[in-house]
Amino acid sequence: MGAMSEMLKRENVQIVPSCADWQDAIHVAVQPLVDGGFVTPAYIDGIIENTNKFGPYFVLAPDLALLHARPEQGVIKQQLAVTIARQGVEFKPGEPVRVIVTLAATDPDSHIDVMRILATMFADPANIEKVATAADVDEVYRIFVEAPAA
């Protein structure tokens, strides 16, 4: 099994029509990890608190956000979640994001392989578009787990 299939469970992938605002988007995107026992609800608060303090540091490219906070802010077990917000969420004014990847990392190093895969995958804006417009959750999941290792 590859690094991505170990880090991303199918039940942590979701497609939502829209979110009320960026705080709601963080709640929606992190909730599968709370439900699965990978993070505590405090992880949601940590990401929101960090955003209020540092700005939307997790918007990595047009249409792409990688939500994360420090391990001590509520991570129980390492895992990813993927949320597609069909209408886009503005973490920065005028820059809607449709692909929201949430990372729960237990330490600074163990998720490096997955980060390499994500970096390679999302270096091409066409791949972000492919994920954002995927027909269903199964297609989103497949795109991630079949992404070539870096």
Side-chain angles (χ1 to χ4, degrees), residues 10-146:
R10 160 66 183 73
E11 58 268 23
N12 294 335
V13 179
Q14 60 184 338
I15 297 174
V16 298
S18 62
C19 297
D21 54 28
W22 67 266
Q23 292 99 329
D24 182 47
I26 291 172
H27 279 272
V28 168
V30 181
Q31 195 59 49
L33 298 180
V34 174
D35 294 345
F38 297 100
V39 301
T40 68
Y43 198 63
I44 295 169
D45 300 332
I47 295 171
I48 291 172
E49 188 180 302
N50 293 352
T51 306
N52 284 327
K53 196 187 279 184
F54 305 116
Y57 59 92
F58 44 73
V59 177
L60 303 182
D63 232 5
L64 175 68
L66 177 65
L67 300 181
H68 59 285
R70 305 217 25 92
E72 63 271 15
Q73 286 180 289
V75 177
I76 298 167
K77 230 168 115 189
Q78 193 159 277
Q79 185 64 208
L80 284 175
V82 177
T83 301
I84 308 306
R86 292 293 194 202
Q87 304 223 337
V89 178
E90 288 190 6
F91 294 100
K92 296 177 178 178
E95 296 180 33
V97 168
R98 292 179 294 167
V99 179
I100 305 167
V101 179
T102 305
L103 170 67
T106 51
D107 61 63
D109 300 319
S110 55
H111 59 285
I112 296 300
D113 287 344
V114 166
M115 294 307 295
R116 267 195 215 107
I117 294 167
L118 291 174
T120 302
M121 182 174 157
F122 291 134
D124 181 352
N127 287 332
I128 299 171
E129 183 65 21
K130 193 162 96 176
V131 172
T133 58
D136 56 33
V137 170
D138 290 324
E139 185 180 343
V140 174
Y141 180 72
R142 208 170 28 255
I143 291 168
F144 275 83
V145 296
E146 292 175 0

